[in-house]
Amino acid sequence: MIVTLLLLIFLVAPISLFIHELGHLFPGRYFRADQSVLHLGRGKVIGRWRKSGIHVYIHLFFFHGAYSLNERRPPFKDREKAWISVGGPLFNAITALIFFLWFKDHGGDLLRIAFLFNTYLAIMNLIPFSIKGKGSDGYRLWSIVKRRFLNRLE
């Protein structure tokens, strides 16, 4: 049980969070972001990688969350913002499917944990909620839909 928990915290979660944030960077780059930044973890930066407007920072507490940012002038259109928002959960859903298919044939705790955690990230990030001004991917998506379509009905 302890080994499983340590695998989740120090291996599965950071890799899954990195995959999630890549899911935001890929559409950002597709829509010609001037700069895309990905942070894995919190604390002092222990590793960095930069190339062609992409900046990746690995922090000391790499297992403690992640976030990404795409910037562009002129700003992204609503449709582009929607794709960028849904990219993270979509990458986790695809990853979960891959792990499920792999797990189905090969089994093992690590594959099961990776499947479950990526499924959790995909679903939870699509739920619209905001805490202390920070909205989930689902919240950003819902805000775009509400602004673009529901306000027209009023």
Side-chain angles (χ1 to χ4, degrees), residues 35-74:
Q35 178 173 285
S36 298
V37 181
L38 188 157
H39 288 268
L40 181 61
R42 303 285 188 264
K44 181 181 176 183
V45 174
I46 59 171
R48 68 183 64 186
W49 178 79
R50 294 179 186 177
K51 185 173 182 172
S52 303
I54 299 172
H55 305 269
V56 177
Y57 299 93
I58 309 297
H59 296 263
L60 181 61
F61 301 106
F62 60 90
F63 50 86
H64 189 264
Y67 65 96
S68 60
L69 176 68
N70 288 292
E71 297 174 326
R72 186 183 80 182
R73 290 281 180 230

Side-chain angles (χ1 to χ4, degrees), residues 58-116:
I58 309 297
H59 296 263
L60 181 61
F61 301 106
F62 60 90
F63 50 86
H64 189 264
Y67 65 96
S68 60
L69 176 68
N70 288 292
E71 297 174 326
R72 186 183 80 182
R73 290 281 180 230
F76 293 107
K77 297 174 184 169
D78 281 346
R79 179 184 57 86
E80 295 167 333
K81 289 179 187 177
W83 277 108
I84 291 168
S85 292
V86 81
L90 181 62
F91 267 45
N92 286 123
I94 292 167
T95 302
L97 177 63
I98 290 167
F99 282 130
F100 174 75
L101 295 173
W102 193 6
F103 169 71
K104 184 179 74 156
D105 293 334
H106 301 289
D109 285 343
L110 185 60
L111 293 176
R112 183 181 307 114
I113 293 166
F115 160 71
L116 291 171

Side-chain angles (χ1 to χ4, degrees), residues 129-147:
F129 65 89
S130 178
I131 299 173
K132 295 184 180 179
K134 295 191 182 221
S136 67
D137 299 327
Y139 181 82
R140 285 190 289 278
L141 195 56
W142 172 246
S143 297
I144 292 166
V145 169
K146 186 175 151 187
R147 182 173 62 249

Side-chain angles (χ1 to χ4, degrees), residues 2-39:
I2 294 293
V3 171
T4 302
L5 183 61
L6 291 173
L7 284 173
L8 173 63
I9 292 170
F10 293 106
L11 183 66
V12 173
I15 291 171
S16 299
L17 291 169
F18 186 75
I19 289 167
H20 179 90
E21 298 307 329
L22 282 178
H24 295 305
L25 259 55
F26 276 98
R29 300 307 293 175
Y30 178 79
F31 294 121
R32 293 189 168 88
D34 297 325
Q35 178 173 285
S36 298
V37 181
L38 188 157
H39 288 268

